[in-house]
Amino acid sequence: MHGHRPRTPGAERSRRWFMNRALLAGGAAAVATMTGCSSGSSGAAASASGAPGGMPSGGPGGMGPGASEVKYADFVGVTTDGKVVEDLYSVHSTGVSTDAVVKAAQAFLDGLSATQRRATLFDVQADEWLAWSNVDGYEREGVRMGDLSEKQRDLGYALLGAALSADGLTQTRNIMKLNAFLGDHDGGGKETLTEGHYFFTVMGTPSTTQPWGFQYEGHHVAINYFVLGDQVVMTPTFMGSEPTSATYRGEKITLFTKETTAGLAMIRALTDAQRAKAVPASEQKAGDNLKAGAGQDNLRLAHQGLPGSDLTAAQRAKLLDLVGVYVGYLAEGHAAVRLKEVEEHLDDTYFSWLGGTEDDSAFYYRVHGPVVLIEYDAQAPLAYNTKNGGGMGGPGGTPTRQHIHTIVRTPNGGDYGVDLLRLHLENDH
């Protein structure tokens, strides 16, 4: 109705086919990866994708392999113990207009053919929200950028431009470009490792009063963008790249410099005693430490590290600066609203770190509080080896800054705007 549709049986089969293909192609290695147990084989992650040798796969940080889909009706969100902390979110006016993103979304839809619109539109509570992945060979719904006309693609980029900040749009476009670079570099994945293999879906009807949203995803990018009135939730947002620095069509692109620099500034601002709290003794930097990637929507993740309540005013400012890098990919006014929300819970927000702290170190860090979860993970290479990169990837590989994954989530039911939508339906309908 209204052009929206739930996930079809055919779509469900396509994802099951992807998982079955992973098992058939990867054998025992794929089974180990999909159950969360590392085989220790340098080629395990690549085999699990069913992709040609040397091509990217998901690994434990992606989906299908290593994770599973959660249905919308079963969504809880990231929690510390399976229990949602109540009363963290409310339906209210932020005073920041969403007119621009609503108009851009409607213009994008208006530019599609009837067939393309049917492929793009879903119900606002569709399972499709939770069906994203950072894996290149994943079966996706919606309209593919590479299949659109130039005018239609421009409307799609205009939608991203209205939703994101200038930095956010540049980051997204550069990830897409380096995805194409990887395809050229490895000589495979001629459909998936391109600038065109990214998909739009729209949930609900773009509106300044009623709930709706959109999803933009492909290899190393997943942007989930929910709108209710003038409130915006842009999580989960996954951004990654392999490589993170290369020259593509004459343009030198380097990604995640701000994320890396802000992380180092934070860890270096701590005293020795504070560092001892921030670095857990029970875990080491591995080839893949990411916890909250695709398929981890109901993840239970205990707080670890150093709480904000133990920080000085200057250190708290550095922690907010770090959060601000990620929040800053959201359009400016909405980013300010989001950062204030995080600041209100800063005492209960924890910072943890794995790995070295030198200028060239490959490391992992996490910022985790009641309303924000951020992970940065320099991972082992899967397809692009460098002189500093070690062997092929997976948890047993040697991490390198030429393969970085990041994820931002809103814990306790906030992802995909689920808690806001629940409150809206309970109180306004």
Side-chain angles (χ1 to χ4, degrees), residues 134-277:
N134 58 282
V135 177
D136 58 306
Y138 191 63
E139 292 287 329
R140 292 178 165 89
E141 298 292 322
V143 287
R144 179 178 178 270
M145 290 289 271
D147 295 333
L148 300 179
S149 69
E150 182 178 358
K151 182 178 180 180
Q152 290 171 325
R153 280 196 300 275
D154 286 344
L155 290 170
Y157 288 132
L159 171 53
L160 290 177
L164 306 176
S165 65
D167 285 346
L169 181 61
T170 298
Q171 174 101 330
T172 302
R173 290 291 289 115
N174 283 342
I175 290 171
M176 295 167 64
K177 291 175 183 177
L178 290 190
N179 186 54
F181 170 89
L182 184 59
D184 293 342
H185 176 272
D186 277 8
K190 291 303 184 185
E191 179 182 279
T192 63
L193 298 181
T194 69
E195 287 189 69
H197 203 63
Y198 293 84
F199 294 72
F200 268 110
T201 52
V202 175
M203 287 66 162
T205 301
S207 169
T208 57
T209 58
Q210 297 304 307
W212 71 282
F214 74 88
Q215 185 179 78
Y216 185 75
E217 61 141 341
H219 189 213
H220 281 144
V221 172
I223 297 169
N224 292 281
Y225 198 98
F226 174 83
V227 180
L228 176 61
D230 61 11
Q231 290 181 269
V232 167
V233 177
M234 196 176 85
T235 61
T237 294
F238 181 103
M239 292 187 176
S241 190
E242 185 189 14
T244 58
S245 183
T247 299
Y248 175 66
R249 297 185 177 178
E251 180 184 3
K252 181 61 184 292
I253 299 171
T254 300
L255 294 170
F256 302 109
T257 300
K258 291 182 179 180
E259 292 87 343
T260 300
T261 301
L264 285 170
M266 182 63 208
I267 189 68
R268 290 171 178 175
L270 302 181
T271 66
D272 289 344
Q274 289 173 321
R275 282 200 194 192
K277 286 186 177 182

Side-chain angles (χ1 to χ4, degrees), residues 392-423:
M392 289 294 286
T398 302
T400 168
R401 282 198 196 164
Q402 279 286 33
H403 190 191
I404 290 175
H405 284 185
T406 69
I407 184 76
V408 184
R409 285 186 176 271
T410 306
N412 294 299
D415 278 341
Y416 314 102
V418 172
D419 194 66
L420 287 184
L421 180 57
R422 176 183 63 81
L423 291 171

Side-chain angles (χ1 to χ4, degrees), residues 1-7 105-106 109 112-124 126 128 142-143 200-206 212-213:
M1 291 181 287
H2 304 294
H4 308 310
R5 60 198 175 96
R7 177 176 300 286
Q106 192 57 61
L109 291 173
L112 300 179
S113 69
T115 299
Q116 290 170 326
R117 283 174 63 93
R118 284 194 296 271
T120 305
L121 288 167
F122 289 81
D123 186 81
V124 74
E128 186 61 29
V143 287
F200 268 110
T201 52
V202 175
M203 287 66 162
T205 301
W212 71 282

Side-chain angles (χ1 to χ4, degrees), residues 344-356:
E344 289 173 352
H345 297 275
L346 205 63
D347 280 353
D348 300 316
T349 299
Y350 290 70
F351 177 74
S352 62
W353 184 277
L354 298 172

